[in-house]
Amino acid sequence: MSIRRGTDAFSFQVMIVLCALWGLQQVAIKLAARDMAPVLQAALRSGIAALLVGLLMTWRGGWEGLRQGTLRGGLLAGFLFTVEFLLIALSLGYTSAGHVAVFLYTAPVFSALGLHLLLPHERLRPFQWLGIAVCFTGIAVAFIGGSSTGHLDRRMLLGDALAVGAGLAWGLTTVAVRASRLSEAPAALTLFYQLAIAFVLLLGVAFVTGKTGPVALTPIAVGSVLFQGVVVSFASYLAWFWLLRRYLASNLAVFSFMTPLFGVTLGVLILHEPLTVNFVLGAVLVLAGIGLVSGEAWLRRVLARAMSTGPRQEN
């Protein structure tokens, strides 16, 4: 087993690119929503990415995991992945891409709570409990940020709630993977399960709800689907798994908190989305809470190093 090392300048630069791509995803979906329904976009991007991952696994010979009892966990993970992107698609019809980017990344908090309940070795530490409290406080404050004239915008509040639900589904997907035989399966197989099942289910939802048309194959719509399917769901995830095999996951998790910041910034710059003071304050609390939950191990190492190298008291 290779020894994972701490992050360096190269990994930081790669993470900046990845976080920018992930933050841009919600913006791309909303930007193309007039030409193609978000649900249909989510279905097509999942299908494109599933095809590419399947071809890669065939080339590398990565299908042996199918014989390791991973089907049940794969079906559950795929269903939860579908729910996540269905809720993302719905939420973008009511709230801003920036709000979705922040609330979606509450996922680590929900996964930490789920793993705490299911796996004895995943018990939450005091810093993480503090992070959960800070995160949910931030959600409450940010929800109030849906008001711009003294009254809550019910549509935005609904969209924000759907985005939190997407974060919950993402967190439960992580729990399903970690608590099943998928935890020992190749990462590409886990990704394929999620993408393939999401393609089938989301396409079915699009047909049932009449979201398959009308479709305008504009450069923005085609570019959005290809960006999501090829760049985000395929290339960026492979790059992420490549980093995880070489660097400490806790260190990378700290850098991944840049994603909501990119999402909010790009939403303002590209979609001209407004920001309220309450939402900004709530988002800061949410990110701080997520940082305490996901970066707890990294934070403990930093504090321990600081204490060990601090000034010594003279007798």
Side-chain angles (χ1 to χ4, degrees):
M1 180 180 296
S2 60
I3 299 177
R4 292 172 174 82
R5 57 184 183 272
T7 50
D8 51 24
F10 172 76
S11 62
F12 178 66
Q13 292 167 3
V14 174
M15 283 302 302
I16 288 179
V17 174
L18 293 181
C19 290
L21 294 174
W22 297 336
L24 182 58
Q25 180 173 217
Q26 281 69 241
V27 176
I29 295 173
K30 188 151 191 172
L31 189 64
R34 291 184 179 181
D35 302 322
M36 183 182 297
V39 172
L40 183 58
Q41 290 186 56
L44 295 179
R45 56 87 79 173
S46 297
I48 292 171
L51 176 62
L52 294 175
V53 172
L55 291 174
L56 180 64
M57 292 175 62
T58 300
W59 177 49
R60 291 183 173 179
W63 295 103
E64 65 276 0
L66 291 174
R67 298 190 297 270
Q68 298 173 357
T70 60
L71 181 59
R72 182 180 298 179
L75 292 174
L76 177 58
F79 173 75
L80 292 170
F81 186 80
T82 302
V83 172
E84 174 196 342
F85 276 90
L86 177 60
L87 292 177
I88 290 174
L90 294 174
S91 67
L92 287 170
Y94 298 99
T95 191
S96 68
H99 281 214
V100 175
V102 171
F103 292 130
L104 177 62
Y105 275 80
T106 57
V109 173
F110 292 117
S111 61
L113 284 170
L115 292 171
H116 172 83
L117 295 174
L118 292 179
L119 301 179
H121 62 279
E122 294 279 0
R123 297 298 183 189
L124 291 169
R125 298 176 181 271
F127 266 133
Q128 292 175 303
W129 282 116
L130 174 62
I132 290 173
V134 171
C135 183
F136 283 113
T137 300
I139 291 175
V141 173
F143 267 32
I144 300 173
S147 63
S148 56
T149 60
H151 299 282
L152 286 175
D153 184 333
R154 293 184 179 179
R155 285 180 58 84
M156 181 169 284
L157 192 62
L158 174 59
D160 291 349
L162 290 170
V164 174
L168 172 61
W170 185 5
L172 292 179
T173 303
T174 302
V175 175
V177 171
R178 294 285 298 277
S180 68
R181 293 193 176 183
L182 284 177
S183 61
E184 301 175 358
L189 177 61
T190 301
L191 182 59
F192 178 80
Y193 273 128
Q194 296 176 67
L195 292 168
I197 294 171
F199 169 64
V200 174
L201 295 182
L202 289 173
L203 192 60
V205 170
F207 273 110
V208 170
T209 58
K211 298 298 184 181
T212 54
V215 174
L217 295 179
T218 62
I220 291 179
V222 175
S224 175
V225 172
L226 291 178
F227 168 74
Q228 295 174 62
V230 178
V231 178
V232 177
S233 300
F234 178 68
S236 76
Y237 288 173
L238 290 180
W240 169 249
F241 292 137
W242 182 86
L243 287 175
L244 287 175
R245 289 196 297 269
R246 289 160 176 79
Y247 296 94
L248 294 172
S250 58
N251 291 15
L252 294 174
V254 174
F255 290 147
S256 69
F257 303 146
M258 294 184 290
T259 300
L261 300 179
F262 277 112
V264 172
T265 303
L266 293 171
V268 172
L269 294 177
I270 298 175
L271 301 174
H272 307 292
E273 295 178 341
L275 289 177
T276 64
V277 174
N278 283 341
F279 173 70
V280 172
L281 292 176
V284 170
L285 290 174
V286 169
L287 295 178
I290 297 170
L292 287 171
V293 172
S294 295
E296 187 269 345
W298 175 82
L299 183 59
R300 279 193 294 111
R301 288 197 298 270
V302 171
L303 292 176
R305 191 179 303 116
M307 293 177 64
S308 65
T309 59
R312 297 174 179 270
Q313 292 186 350
E314 295 182 1
N315 295 326

